[in-house]
Every structure is written in structure tokens, then in C-alpha cells.
């Protein structure tokens, strides 16, 4: 039974109830299912409703078209530049939603076909089961346009083996489906031609029993073997270089390794980092490093502070300049301020991490019985 009755082509999220199964479809295919304010609100409403519904046992999420989700709608942020805190509500709601996705009480399956980037991947990685294909592409490229790794990924990346988290956050490096399963960011690899049939089988299973769901997925899944040229086969160099204390030292270490025979692959990584916002790189590295010693809730609260300070241009306008160069003028020639890593003051970076007054922090519920409290409409911001 469809929950929504309006024209499906006009709804940014489709929610279906099929006996004990619930299905969410991110439905902005022309925008690669980019995250909009309405999309966030609808997904949150469905998940809350279904977690409280005893009849709902299994929740499946997928994307319409050729992408799962390309992440945040950058135009929304850019258009809000001149209006103070115009994007505060969607940021608050998204990070609050991220907590509830990570801690959801019902069995979830993400069917991830195509692009799954930035915040869009927060609908994939935390799920009990995340199914990827040979066409899945994952990345967290935020530093490249002056932003930082958010939507819980300062927590997720900081808990990956070795220094892979720093690598993914600072370079925007891409992982394919096989690589995602290998590093634990997805649970199963299923060839794309089998994905529709898997969805039908899961719906037909009509149960949220984890062992039963796992058994069905494993019928369709393939054993993962990394390609010879996979970036994961370069882990020793990645761990060595990205363990350095500062961005400057990381780049210097990469330059040293790039001069050695057989390391030509490092050239494009260095080029990408040197084109990224110096401020964003320093903020991102600190955020990932702090994540290793923080809880999920603490990381989300920190990300909220950092994001709001970036949107408020507390120390730099780099994010707006990055979005301009990437999606507005599309000249791919951002003019960062400051323009170099050695010009970014540590004291300035400290400012974006400063706690807000208690009432103006992201309100993550601390007790299970209150887990759906702390919504934006009940926060000090709405008041």
C-alpha cells in the first residue's frame, strides 16, 4: 500500500507499506537523488513511523534512476549564502536523522546502485545490510569544494582500518562496490542484473529476521576479489603517508613516495589535494582525528558546529567559492582564501570547532525512551 497518494513523479521520497515490509525510494533521479530539505524530512518521518509500528519489520531503501544519492544539494547551500542560517534547519534535521539511521531498531537493507557520495552514503553505510554492485561508486569529496567530511563520516572514517579514513576524507578517493565490501562500508556485493530480483525476494520474505534476510541476500551475492589496481592494494603507502601529523607533512610524504618507481598513481592524488581548499583540508584532518576518541553522538554534534561555522563564514568563504567553481560557473578554478596551507592559522581552525551554548547544540537523545526527541521543531533554533 502506498503511503503517499500524490503523483509519484513529483514526490522526492516514495514510501510503500507491503505487509511487514517498508520501502523507501529516493526519488529525485534528475538530481541524482541529491539530498534536499524535503527529502530529509520525509525520510525521517517514515523511519520514525515505521520504527514505532509493530507490523513493520524490514525497511528497504533504494534510489530511483542511475544513482543511489549524490549527497547534499549544493545549490541549496549556495542560494542560502545571503540569508543568515537559511540552511540551519536542513543541516540540523539531517545530522539528527543520521543518528537515528545508525541506531535504528528495525532491520534495514540498502540497495545501492550507482553513485553514493557524501551525505548520500549515510543512507547506505550504517544499515544492517548494505548491498552494492559493480556500478556503485562511493566517495566523500567535501574538502575539494571547501567543506568537511560530515553526516557521521568523521566517525565512520575514523574507525576504518589504518589511515584509510584520512585518505578518503582528504583526497575524495573513490571506492567501487568490491572495495566497499572489503573495507566494511558495505556488507554484500550483488551483480546489478540481480538487484531487482533480490528486491522482490526480500519483499516476498515478508520478515525482518536478520538471519533470514542475510540468507536471501547471500543467495544473490558474489565473492569479492579486489582488482589488481585497487587502491586498497596500496594500503601500506596510504597508512605511512596519512599517519603524519599535519596536512603539509602528509603531502610531503606523498611527494617522497611519488618519486619512487611504480608509484605513478600518487600523482593524481597529490594534484587533487593541492587543488582543494587549504582550510577545508586542515579542518577535515582534525575532525577525522578527533573522531577516533569520540562517540557517534559527539561526532555528529561536532559536525553540526563545524558545518554551521562554515556556512556562517566564521573563518573563510571557501565553501561558497568551491560550490561556485564546481556547480554554478563551472570554471573549476576556485580562489581559496587563504590560498596556501601555511597561511591557515591553527587558531582560526580552532574557532570552527568551538562548542555552542548547550541549548544551541544538536540535540541527540541520550535515553532510549526519548530517542525520537530533540527534533528541530522543538529546539532553541525553532523557538
Amino acid at each position: 500500500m502506498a503511503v503517499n497518494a500524490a503523483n509519484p513523479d513529483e514526490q522526492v521520497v516514495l514510501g510503500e507499506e507491503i505487509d511487514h515490509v517498508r520501502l523507501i525510494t529516493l526519488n529525485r533521479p534528475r538530481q541524482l537523488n541529491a539530498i534536499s530539505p524535503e527529502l530529509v524530512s520525509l525520510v525521517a518521518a517514515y523511519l520514525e513511523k515505521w520504527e514505532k509500528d509493530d507490523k513493520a519489520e524490514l525497511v528497504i531503501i533504494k534510489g530511483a534512476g542511475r544513482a543511489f544519492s549524490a549527497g547534499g544539494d549544493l545549490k541549496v547551500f549556495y542560494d542560502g549564502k545571503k540569508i543568515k542560517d537559511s540552511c540551519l534547519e536542513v543541516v540540523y534535521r539531517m545530522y539528527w536523522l543520521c543518528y537515528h539511521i545508525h541506531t535504528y531498531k528495525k532491520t534495514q537493507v540498502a540497495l545501492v546502485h550507482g553513485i553514493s557520495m557524501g551525505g548520500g552514503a549515510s543512507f547506505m553505510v550504517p544499515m544492517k545490510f548494505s548491498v552494492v554492485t559493480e556500478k556503485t561508486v562511493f566517495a566523500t569529496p567535501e574538502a575539494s569544494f571547501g567543506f568537511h567530511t560530515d553526516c557521521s563520516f568523521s566517525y565512520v572514517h575514523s574507525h576504518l582500518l589504518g589511515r584509510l579514513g584520512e585518505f578518503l576524507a582528504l583526497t575524495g578517493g573513490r571506492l567501487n562496490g568490491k572495495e566497499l565490501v572489503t573495507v566494511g562500508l558495505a556488507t554484500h556485493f550483488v551483480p546489478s542484473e540481480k538487484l531487482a530480483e533480490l528486491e522482490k525476494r526480500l519483499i516476498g520474505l515478508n520478515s525482518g529476521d536478520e538471519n533470514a534476510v542475510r540468507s536471501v541476500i547471500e543467495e544473490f551475492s558474489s565473492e569479492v576479489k579486489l582488482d589488481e589496481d585497487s587502491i586498497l592494494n596500496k594500503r601500506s603507502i596510504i597508512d605511512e603517508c596519512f599517519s603524519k601529523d599535519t596536512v603539509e607533512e602528509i603531502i610531503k610524504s606523498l611527494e617522497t613516495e611519488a618519486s619512487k618507481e611504480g608509484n605513478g598513481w600518487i600523482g593524481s592524488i597529490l594534484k587533487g589535494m593541492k587543488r582543494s581548499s587549504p582550510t577545508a583540508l586542515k579542518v577535515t584532518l582534525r575532525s577525522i582525528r578527533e573522531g577516533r576518541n569520540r562517540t557517534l553522538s559527539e561526532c555528529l554534534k561536532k559536525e553540526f558546529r563545524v558545518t554551521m561555522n562554515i556556512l556562517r563564514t566564521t573563518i573563510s568563504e571557501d565553501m561558497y567559492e568551491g560550490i561556485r567553481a564546481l556547480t554554478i560557473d563551472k570554471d573549476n578554478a576556485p580562489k581559496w582564501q587563504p590560498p596556501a596551507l601555511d597561511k591557515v592559522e591553527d587558531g582560526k581552525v580552532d574557532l570552527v570547532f568551538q562548542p555552542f551554548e548547550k541549548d544551541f547544540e544538536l540535540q541527540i537523545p541520550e535515553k532510549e525512551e526519548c530517542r525520537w526527541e530533540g527534533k528541530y521543531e522543538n529546539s532553541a533554533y525553532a523557538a
Side-chain angles (χ1 to χ4, degrees):
M1 178 185 72
V3 174
N4 291 317
N7 182 352
D9 293 334
E10 297 173 356
Q11 300 165 48
V12 300
V13 177
L14 305 178
E16 296 177 75
E17 300 181 354
I18 310 165
D19 205 1
H20 296 296
V21 178
R22 303 293 180 265
L23 178 63
I24 287 177
T25 303
L26 308 179
N27 192 41
R28 303 184 73 207
R30 288 189 296 276
Q31 296 81 23
L32 302 179
N33 299 319
I35 298 168
S36 67
E38 185 182 4
L39 184 147
V40 173
S41 294
L42 287 170
V43 171
Y46 281 128
L47 290 182
E48 179 177 3
K49 176 188 176 185
W50 293 338
E51 185 176 287
K52 295 175 178 178
D53 179 0
D54 291 338
K55 191 176 180 182
E57 296 183 17
L58 174 64
V59 177
I60 301 171
I61 184 167
K62 65 178 184 176
R66 60 191 177 93
F68 181 69
S69 175
D73 190 333
L74 299 184
K75 193 172 186 300
V76 170
F77 289 114
Y78 190 81
D79 290 346
K81 177 181 178 181
K82 295 180 180 179
I83 305 172
K84 186 176 187 295
D85 287 350
S86 64
C87 294
L88 188 151
E89 180 177 346
V90 67
V91 170
Y92 187 106
R93 290 186 184 279
M94 183 63 194
Y95 294 178
W96 184 88
L97 174 60
C98 285
Y99 173 80
H100 289 84
I101 292 174
H102 274 270
T103 60
Y104 203 62
K105 304 302 182 186
K106 303 292 177 76
T107 303
Q108 303 159 293
V109 178
L111 301 177
V112 186
H113 183 62
I115 294 171
S116 180
M117 292 190 179
S122 65
F123 297 128
M124 170 188 84
V125 172
M127 303 299 187
K128 176 64 68 175
F129 301 102
S130 46
V131 178
V132 293
T133 77
E134 76 282 358
K135 295 184 179 180
T136 304
V137 180
F138 165 89
T140 47
E142 291 83 0
S144 68
F145 58 84
F147 198 48
H148 71 112
T149 306
D150 68 332
C151 290
S152 80
F153 278 96
S154 71
Y155 177 81
V156 171
H157 280 355
S158 69
H159 288 77
L160 293 175
L161 287 176
R163 301 294 174 164
L164 184 61
E166 282 98 328
F167 168 78
L168 293 172
L170 294 173
T171 69
R174 296 186 172 195
L175 297 180
N176 62 32
K178 293 178 182 179
E179 292 165 333
L180 287 167
V181 173
T182 300
V183 302
L185 291 173
T187 61
H188 295 82
F189 180 88
V190 172
S192 58
E193 65 268 17
K194 296 183 179 181
L195 206 60
E197 184 61 28
L198 170 59
E199 180 184 335
K200 290 179 183 177
R201 282 286 303 279
L202 289 170
I203 293 172
L205 180 66
N206 199 30
S207 169
D209 180 82
E210 287 185 15
N211 290 328
V213 171
R214 182 182 293 107
S215 179
V216 168
I217 296 173
E218 287 176 350
E219 286 183 39
F220 290 82
S221 64
S222 302
E223 186 177 347
V224 167
K225 184 178 180 181
L226 290 177
D227 298 331
E228 188 176 332
D229 62 351
S230 170
I231 192 69
L232 298 183
N233 291 327
K234 318 292 186 184
R235 286 285 299 278
S236 60
I237 294 176
I238 288 173
D239 289 349
E240 171 64 25
C241 295
F242 286 84
S243 65
K244 306 306 180 190
D245 290 339
T246 67
V247 178
E248 291 94 329
E249 290 172 311
I250 289 171
I251 288 176
K252 185 176 179 180
S253 182
L254 285 167
E255 288 173 337
T256 299
E257 292 294 334
S259 66
K260 299 176 182 178
E261 187 175 351
N263 284 347
W265 60 275
I266 297 177
S268 61
I269 290 169
L270 276 169
K271 184 178 180 181
M273 287 186 70
K274 290 177 179 180
R275 285 173 57 89
S276 295
S277 158
T279 299
L281 288 173
K282 291 206 168 189
V283 169
T284 296
L285 180 61
R286 174 168 166 176
S287 185
I288 299 296
R289 295 269 166 88
E290 286 188 359
R292 288 199 168 90
N293 302 309
R294 302 281 179 88
T295 65
L296 170 65
S297 296
E298 289 169 338
C299 284
L300 286 166
K301 289 180 179 182
K302 171 201 65 184
E303 290 174 6
F304 178 71
R305 296 173 202 134
V306 174
T307 292
M308 291 315 304
N309 278 314
I310 289 174
L311 291 173
R312 291 168 176 168
T313 64
T314 300
I315 64 170
S316 171
E317 294 191 8
D318 275 5
M319 189 200 75
Y320 296 109
E321 172 61 10
I323 295 174
R324 178 206 64 75
L326 180 67
T327 66
I328 307 301
D329 297 335
K330 299 181 181 180
D331 57 23
N332 290 312
K335 295 177 174 58
W336 307 124
Q337 290 297 330
L341 288 164
D342 60 1
K343 303 294 184 184
V344 181
E345 300 173 22
D346 290 341
K348 291 284 187 69
V349 173
D350 289 341
L351 289 177
V352 301
F353 287 88
Q354 290 301 307
F356 296 155
E357 291 181 24
K358 184 178 179 181
D359 288 346
F360 291 94
E361 295 279 11
L362 179 69
Q363 301 298 310
I364 299 290
E366 297 178 1
K367 297 180 180 179
E368 279 301 305
E369 60 269 26
C370 306
R371 67 178 260 100
W372 291 97
E373 295 182 2
K375 295 185 176 78
Y376 172 81
E377 54 264 35
N378 299 319
S379 72
Y381 291 108

